[in-house]
Amino acid sequence: MPRVFSLSAFSIVLSAVFCCGTDATAADEYDYDLVHSSVSFKARHLDISWIHGRFNDVAGKFVLDRDDPSKSTFALTIKTDSVDTANEARDKHLRQPDYFDTKQFPTIEFKSTSTKAIAGGYEVTGDFTMHGKTNKITMTLMGGKEHVFKDVKRVAFSTELSVKRSDYGFDKNAIGPIGDKALIMIDCEGVRK
Amino acid sequence: MPDPLLYTKAMGVAAFISMALVLAIFAWRRRLKMAELNSVCVVGIGFGLVAGYAVLALNLSWPPANALDRLLLIIVPATLVIELIAGFQRVPRAVAWLIRISLALVAPWILLHNSIYLNDSGDWTPWQVGLVIVVSAALLILVWGLFSVLSQRSGGVSLPIAVCIAVQCAGVAVMLAGYIKGGAAAIPLVATLLGTSIVVQGVARFFSGKIDVSLPQKVVVPGVVGVGLVGLFGLLFIGRFFGEISTLTAVTILAAPLLCWLSEARQLRNRKPWIIAAFRLIVVAIPLVVVLLAAKREFDREMSPLLGAAGRQDDQRATECNASHFLILGQLLAERRESSGASKSEGLAPFR
């Protein structure tokens, strides 16, 4: 009797280990590669031209489950203090409370809540938090092609999203000559842990 | 973009509401003691501020999201309540000051709430946080205490006017440093403080025989001083820790009203009231003008690269370029853009 018990216990443990093992291989965890990625934006100036800028300090993590894409998750954290429009005076101005208010809201964050596979990528819905306000957004991540370079597995995605600054609590009076809408372009490469 | 017309409107509405309310209560009660006068002024300031900020449409949010929200929705109302309580005759002076000191101690902490300074990931150690809060609170208590002593000792309408000049200067300095909304917040505050002070002075001087108001001619309402100095401190604190004004600028503006103490010198003390008033205002204005000139120079230097003057940055004229022209130009262009809604939607076509 004790032998039968120990055998069945062993088989349960073994199957549990194999199950977990299968899951671990299906879902790959990637870190945002700051060197080969960029988060940039552009906004209208006086409604006649575009101002371009980027955020230099970004971190992120994504879990890709090829077998069950709905289990895939994406998270991105952008440090607002790292805003860079190639003009130090303007960057300083953008860090002020009328714009990003970087001392109060040091990060812009995205956390996925659901993922759906589409042709050529994923449709990811999640919470986008900027300037202390969180709104649900859906973005189309195109790509997902993998590449192994020097024994490191990499995967890359690109997306563009349009946000209205007034939806995120930016002061309407401060919007002025810079348009309300901003286009954010994300090109990110992930390296597997 | 700064909107001078809107600011004028907000100033007018805030001053009118506070003055009308104080005058109405004067006319209705006809018998007012100093404690009641304080309450009337505090209520007048409160209503004036609500009206002024409503006109400004500062986009405040509840629960407060940023430091300015916390200043205008927590600290200023708390000061009004404290001054209302402190004004009652039954409340001992020591208790009133204990409440004021408590407010001064929590105000910096409330203003920094949820910011990078108090977060775990922030740059400051707990020691630095403690030091900044204690030093800031001590400065506020010092200025508040010394100014209140002077108000009771010699009084005069020049004292609240000196506070108003400092508050307005703080607003302009914060605005010139790039925080437009923060600077604009000073406008209704100045208007209500000035409005109530002028009404109280006018009633004390011209109507004391006609209505039964027993006020000394040099009366200074403690509530006006309290709200003014806490508002001044709040604006400067936000400008320093969330905007770009320097510590020196902030401390200079905060301490400037204390220069009114110079009028207590033996050679000046017994002069005519208008001479003392003029002396006080001039002596307070001097450091404020110096600070504003420095802020304006910095503003022009910082803004010139944004003027698109890249090709002539070496040109002396570029550094001397008047940045206010830029603001007016931006304003005109923004207005023109608003009036041509069709072209706006065409311009944003790539987003749709």
Side-chain angles (χ1 to χ4, degrees):
Chain A
M1 187 67 183
R3 198 177 162 184
V4 173
F5 177 76
S6 62
L7 263 174
S8 38
F10 177 69
S11 59
I12 289 166
V13 170
L14 209 63
S15 57
V17 166
F18 273 109
C19 283
C20 292
T22 313
D23 270 2
T25 48
D28 287 335
E29 202 175 323
Y30 294 89
D31 271 338
Y32 181 91
D33 180 11
L34 191 62
V35 181
H36 301 100
S37 307
S38 83
V39 175
S40 54
F41 61 88
K42 60 178 185 176
R44 299 288 284 174
H45 180 237
L46 300 173
D47 209 20
I48 55 169
S49 67
W50 296 95
I51 299 170
H52 290 252
R54 54 173 287 148
F55 292 101
N56 295 325
D57 193 349
V58 184
K61 211 166 254 183
F62 39 97
V63 177
L64 271 184
D65 193 328
R66 303 278 183 188
D67 298 335
D68 186 359
S70 66
K71 285 183 180 166
S72 299
T73 59
F74 297 85
L76 199 69
T77 302
I78 301 163
K79 290 261 174 73
T80 50
D81 206 30
S82 68
V83 64
D84 180 0
T85 62
N87 183 307
E88 188 46 48
R90 182 168 54 208
D91 297 345
K92 227 166 133 180
H93 193 49
L94 287 174
R95 291 184 192 114
Q96 297 248 12
D98 279 337
Y99 294 93
F100 285 114
D101 198 356
T102 58
K103 301 276 172 24
Q104 186 69 56
F105 309 114
T107 57
I108 296 172
E109 285 175 26
F110 175 77
K111 262 186 194 148
S112 69
T113 51
S114 71
T115 307
K116 198 170 81 182
I118 55 166
Y122 295 92
E123 193 179 85
V124 183
T125 301
D127 297 324
F128 186 75
T129 306
M130 181 163 69
H131 211 252
K133 281 221 166 177
T134 303
N135 288 326
K136 211 162 243 343
I137 61 161
T138 299
M139 55 183 167
T140 308
L141 290 181
M142 299 308 291
K145 209 172 156 186
E146 289 171 356
H147 190 97
V148 179
F149 180 65
K150 289 187 177 175
D151 293 334
V152 177
K153 195 175 175 184
R154 292 172 175 271
V155 67
F157 291 102
S158 292
T159 188
E160 284 188 2
L161 61 137
S162 165
V163 292
K164 271 176 87 176
R165 293 194 290 142
S166 55
D167 288 344
Y168 291 87
F170 282 86
D171 185 15
K172 280 175 189 160
N173 296 329
I175 285 169
I178 300 170
D180 188 15
K181 285 193 183 181
L183 193 65
I184 301 174
M185 287 83 69
I186 303 172
D187 288 290
C188 66
E189 203 169 292
V191 283
R192 199 171 74 172
K193 276 184 168 179
Chain B
M1 279 285 130
D3 184 348
L5 198 68
L6 182 71
Y7 297 161
T8 312
K9 221 189 282 178
M11 195 170 228
V13 169
F16 176 77
I17 296 283
S18 55
M19 287 168 93
L21 204 78
V22 173
L23 272 175
I25 298 174
F26 264 128
W28 174 53
R29 288 296 302 269
R30 291 195 165 249
R31 246 173 219 281
L32 281 177
K33 290 174 189 164
M34 190 60 198
E36 291 168 328
L37 174 71
N38 186 60
S39 307
V40 168
C41 288
V42 169
V43 171
I45 292 169
F47 277 94
L49 287 178
V50 170
Y53 288 125
V55 172
L56 268 188
L58 280 184
N59 196 26
L60 302 175
S61 61
W62 186 267
N66 58 40
L68 189 64
D69 291 351
R70 289 189 288 275
L71 173 68
L72 300 181
L73 298 174
I74 298 175
I75 293 172
V76 171
T79 313
L80 289 168
V81 172
I82 287 169
E83 288 304 329
L84 206 62
I85 295 167
F88 293 141
Q89 274 180 326
R90 284 184 203 160
V91 178
R93 223 178 191 190
V95 174
W97 273 104
L98 207 65
I99 306 171
R100 286 175 181 140
I101 290 169
S102 309
L103 176 78
L105 280 169
V106 295
W109 182 79
I110 292 171
L111 291 173
L112 293 177
H113 176 71
N114 239 352
S115 66
I116 58 160
Y117 302 111
L118 299 187
N119 284 347
D120 296 336
S121 55
D123 300 336
W124 286 4
T125 61
W127 273 103
Q128 281 174 303
V129 172
L131 190 70
V132 166
I133 288 176
V134 168
V135 170
S136 307
L139 269 173
L140 173 58
I141 293 163
L142 186 77
V143 173
W144 201 347
L146 285 174
F147 205 79
S148 295
V149 170
L150 181 63
S151 303
Q152 282 163 1
R153 194 177 141 115
S154 59
V157 75
S158 55
L159 294 181
I161 292 175
V163 174
C164 288
I165 294 172
V167 174
Q168 192 54 64
C169 176
V172 174
V174 169
M175 223 182 244
L176 286 173
Y179 185 10
I180 295 165
K181 193 173 154 184
I187 291 164
L189 190 62
V190 172
T192 52
L193 297 176
L194 209 57
T196 45
S197 302
I198 288 169
V199 165
V200 169
Q201 196 65 25
V203 169
R205 183 173 282 240
F206 301 112
F207 297 100
S208 56
K210 293 172 188 170
I211 59 172
D212 194 9
V213 179
S214 50
L215 300 175
Q217 279 204 1
K218 288 182 175 179
V219 64
V220 176
V221 180
V224 174
V225 171
V227 176
L229 291 177
V230 172
L232 174 66
F233 170 81
L235 286 172
L236 293 169
F237 192 88
I238 292 172
R240 169 63 186 85
F241 292 106
F242 295 90
E244 290 283 338
I245 67 167
S246 66
T247 306
L248 183 67
T249 302
V251 172
T252 307
I253 298 173
L254 182 66
L258 290 182
L259 290 171
C260 289
W261 265 100
L262 291 176
S263 66
E264 291 301 290
R266 204 186 303 161
Q267 296 88 339
L268 279 165
R269 206 169 20 188
N270 298 320
R271 300 262 176 180
K272 286 179 182 173
W274 72 267
I275 294 176
I276 294 176
F279 174 79
R280 281 173 178 170
L281 296 181
I282 289 167
V283 91
V284 168
I286 290 168
L288 295 179
V289 167
V290 172
V291 163
L292 279 186
L293 285 175
K296 176 72 170 62
R297 252 184 80 182
E298 183 77 3
F299 175 76
D300 289 346
R301 199 172 56 83
E302 292 276 299
M303 290 299 279
S304 59
L306 301 180
L307 297 175
R312 52 188 183 98
Q313 272 187 1
D314 294 330
D315 190 337
Q316 186 62 27
R317 281 179 306 164
T319 53
E320 289 171 359
C321 187
N322 191 340
S324 58
H325 291 171
F326 170 74
L327 291 174
I328 293 163
L329 179 69
Q331 188 79 29
L332 287 171
L333 285 166
E335 279 168 13
R336 215 180 71 180
R337 189 177 50 127
E338 274 171 25
S339 64
S340 59
S343 62
K344 183 184 178 184
S345 54
E346 277 167 28
L348 291 169
F351 285 133
R352 285 187 274 118

